[in-house]
Amino acid sequence: MTVDLGGQVAAGGAADTQRSAPARTVDPRQHLAAQARRRRKKIAKHTVVIALLSIWTVFALAPIVWIFLMSLKLPQDIVAYPPKFVFTPTLANYADVFTGPEFMTPFLNSLIVTVGSLLLTLVIGLPTAYALARFSFRGKENIAFGILSLRFAPELLIILPLYLVFQNVGLTDNYLGLILAYQLVTLPMLVWMLRSFIEDLPTELEEAVAVDGGTRWTAFRHVLFRLIAPGLGAALMLSFIWAWNSYTLPLVLSGRNTQVITTGIQQYISFQSIDWGPMAAATVVSMVPGILFALFALRWIVGGLTAGTVKG
């Protein structure tokens, strides 16, 4: 039996060396200085981001604020140079807007045409999006791309043949004609957004309803509709804004009886002068329906996102 005394001595010497090596110490002052540098860097980064966002907010909201200030000024204050930021506000411009037919008639026409186009979009778009998402048939992608291409096509390219067709069938200066024409703006967005939402939902949900004796309509109404509510709310919000702000289509297809708000505001521009005050007030009022609909759609989106939550 042999004992390797040299190996034991070497191992013992290495262990003694490790135990005798001084522990590495960190200077508290250096640690605090490093933390302070990181904190200053983070604060500087946040300051730059806040400054950039503030500049962008001012840039985006400045025209709206300027128009709102114009709507509260007298005519001599509007054209004053240098511009007046301190003035005596007046509501005379809003009184002219709400009492005169130059604004109220186009405003009501816009409500009728926009709401009607959204209802027709829902009737056509919901089944179309569901069929494109759930069924497999020949030419499905061609149909989907054809619907999307309606949004790609410039309105100036299709407005002339559309006007000729509407003139032959008697749809010019007609509510139904404008509602049908607005489908070029509202239908593609709703179909493609809802199709992507429905495709992301598992088919097992509908199969579970079918096992319980339900139909596709039952599964769509009680299950899928709640789950696609966020996408539907977002699509309707964008469709409403685009339809409400549409200018080229009503400029050509509408008439004296169906003039909408985007073309009706031009009535404040005459040959001799421009009524800046009433036109600014009409612009401010015309933004209110879009803001209200966006708030309503936002509540719908939040409600759809929380529809499937379970407490406990």
Side-chain angles (χ1 to χ4, degrees):
M1 181 176 181
T2 61
V3 179
D4 190 358
L5 296 178
Q8 291 180 356
V9 171
D16 292 339
T17 303
Q18 292 179 356
R19 284 195 294 267
S20 62
R24 185 178 179 182
T25 60
V26 179
D27 190 354
R29 290 175 298 181
Q30 294 180 355
H31 181 68
L32 293 176
Q35 285 186 341
R37 285 195 300 269
R38 287 194 295 267
R39 191 180 302 109
R40 285 194 299 268
K41 186 182 295 185
K42 186 176 181 180
I43 292 174
K45 186 183 296 184
H46 287 176
T47 303
V48 172
V49 172
I50 292 174
L52 293 176
L53 290 177
S54 301
I55 294 173
W56 172 253
T57 302
V58 171
F59 176 78
L61 296 181
I64 300 176
V65 174
W66 184 259
I67 292 175
F68 177 72
L69 293 177
M70 285 179 57
S71 68
L72 298 176
K73 291 181 179 180
L74 295 172
Q76 59 271 21
D77 295 330
I78 295 175
V79 297
Y81 183 83
K84 288 186 177 181
F85 294 96
V86 179
F87 56 90
T88 302
T90 178
L91 296 177
N93 297 322
Y94 290 93
D96 293 342
V97 165
F98 286 111
T99 57
E102 294 86 358
F103 175 78
M104 293 308 300
T105 301
F107 184 81
L108 294 177
N109 290 338
S110 290
L111 285 178
I112 294 173
V113 173
T114 304
V115 174
S117 64
L118 289 183
L119 291 177
L120 182 60
T121 300
L122 280 176
V123 173
I124 300 176
L126 275 176
T128 304
Y130 182 82
L132 293 175
R134 284 292 187 256
F135 299 134
S136 297
F137 52 90
R138 188 175 181 180
K140 182 179 73 171
E141 295 302 327
N142 293 333
I143 295 174
F145 183 78
I147 294 174
L148 185 62
S149 64
L150 297 177
R151 192 69 187 94
F152 291 159
E155 294 181 355
L156 293 176
L157 180 65
I158 61 177
I159 193 64
L160 181 59
L162 192 63
Y163 173 77
L164 295 177
V165 172
F166 278 23
Q167 192 178 37
N168 291 330
V169 298
L171 289 178
T172 55
D173 195 12
N174 187 285
Y175 288 125
L176 180 59
L178 284 178
I179 290 173
L180 292 176
Y182 275 25
Q183 301 308 305
L184 301 174
V185 178
T186 59
L187 186 62
M189 171 59 66
L190 186 137
V191 169
W192 273 83
M193 286 189 67
L194 290 188
R195 180 192 179 186
S196 62
F197 266 83
I198 296 175
E199 285 178 343
D200 291 337
L201 299 178
T203 57
E204 288 78 6
L205 296 173
E206 299 167 76
E207 294 174 357
V209 176
V211 170
D212 293 336
T215 60
R216 284 187 177 271
W217 168 244
T218 304
F220 179 82
R221 184 178 56 180
H222 293 289
V223 179
L224 294 184
F225 186 80
R226 290 177 175 270
L227 298 176
I228 65 173
L232 183 59
L236 287 177
M237 180 176 63
L238 294 176
S239 299
F240 182 91
I241 293 174
W242 286 346
W244 183 265
N245 295 327
S246 179
Y247 178 75
T248 305
L249 292 175
L251 180 64
V252 178
L253 300 178
S254 66
R256 182 175 297 273
N257 298 323
T258 58
Q259 191 175 43
V260 297
I261 191 63
T262 50
T263 58
I265 292 180
Q266 294 179 347
Q267 297 181 77
Y268 294 104
I269 303 175
S270 62
F271 177 75
Q272 296 180 340
S273 62
I274 300 176
D275 295 330
W276 292 108
M279 187 168 62
T283 303
V284 173
V285 176
S286 65
M287 292 187 293
V288 173
I291 296 174
L292 294 178
F293 191 87
L295 294 176
F296 170 75
L298 184 62
R299 293 183 58 186
W300 196 9
I301 292 172
V302 174
L305 291 173
T306 58
T309 57
V310 180
K311 292 184 178 180

